[in-house]
Structures are given as structure tokens and as C-alpha cells.
Amino acid sequence: MLSRTSSARQAVAAVARLARPQMRTFIAPTVSRRADFVQELYLKELKAYKPIPIKESDSVGHVATFSLPKTPKSPEEADLASSLKEYENMAVEVEGQEGADASAPAAVVEDWLVEEEEEEGAHH
């Protein structure tokens, strides 16, 4: 009989253990219902929100009106005719000739690389 009563107690304890988690899961939906309530409240307020309509006069005083700047005058075009005439009257310079005086003898070109001779008596 002891075995029957102990097995009956074990069966009752097992059923009680299984019943406890079911109670916990029964409470859990209320938590999600609260989350749904907050979500529903948020969505209700979001749908009820009416933004203030924007008027065209709202930007007056905050934004400068745009106006195109004047086109700048090119410095080259200002004196184009006189520059062209000056270019035509320029003397042609050719390398090897100095100015327009081609009959004069060419100037002596100095050698810019001058090697100094070493003195042999300076060695000790």
C-alpha cells in the first residue's frame, strides 16, 4: 500500500508541476495585451495628428530672395582692338639675333661654366 500511496503522491506532484507553468502562460497574454494597448493608443494618436499647413508666406524674413548676379565683363574683351594692333606692330624676335640689328656682330657669349685649374704647388 505504501507503494500505491507514494506513486499517487508522485502523480499528484507531477500534475501540480505541469499545472504551474500553464498558469504562468495564462498570465503572459495580459502582458502582450498591455503592449497592444500601448501600440493601439500610439496608432490612434498618430492617426489623429493633423500637421499645421504650410503657407507660402512662412518663409518671408527667413530666406533671402534669389536674384541673378550681373555677368562680369571679361578683361580681355575690354581692350581687344588695341591689343591686336599692338601685337601686329611688335618686332619679331628670332633666337640668335639681338633685336632688329642683324648686321652688327654677335655679342660674345661668355662661358658660364668655368673650371679653375688646380695649383700643383698647393699639395703638401
Side-chain angles (χ1 to χ4, degrees):
M1 210 111 161
L2 260 174
S3 64
R4 286 186 184 175
T5 50
S6 65
S7 64
R9 286 182 187 167
Q10 289 176 351
V12 171
V15 170
R17 274 187 244 134
L18 290 174
R20 284 184 201 147
Q22 290 174 350
M23 287 169 129
R24 289 182 187 163
T25 57
F26 177 71
I27 295 172
T30 58
V31 173
S32 66
R33 285 182 192 156
R34 286 183 187 166
D36 289 342
F37 173 73
V38 172
Q39 183 178 8
E40 288 172 13
L41 183 65
Y42 176 75
L43 290 174
K44 179 182 135 192
E45 292 297 321
L46 192 62
K47 289 176 183 175
Y49 176 73
K50 301 286 185 217
I52 301 169
I54 298 172
K55 302 176 218 165
E56 288 191 31
S57 63
D58 288 347
S59 66
V60 175
H62 298 287
V63 180
T65 56
F66 179 74
S67 60
L68 287 172
K70 292 188 254 179
T71 54
K73 188 175 180 182
S74 174
E76 296 173 356
E77 295 175 4
D79 200 15
L80 192 61
S82 63
S83 296
L84 184 61
K85 190 166 193 159
E86 182 182 326
Y87 175 73
E88 289 175 351
N89 293 335
M90 283 177 59
V92 179
E93 295 180 14
V94 179
E95 189 174 330
Q97 295 180 358
E98 293 193 15
D101 194 15
S103 62
V108 179
V109 178
E110 294 183 24
D111 190 12
W112 56 271
L113 179 61
V114 179
E115 294 182 20
E116 296 180 7
E117 296 180 17
E118 295 182 11
E119 296 178 14
E120 290 186 25
H123 294 289
H124 295 281

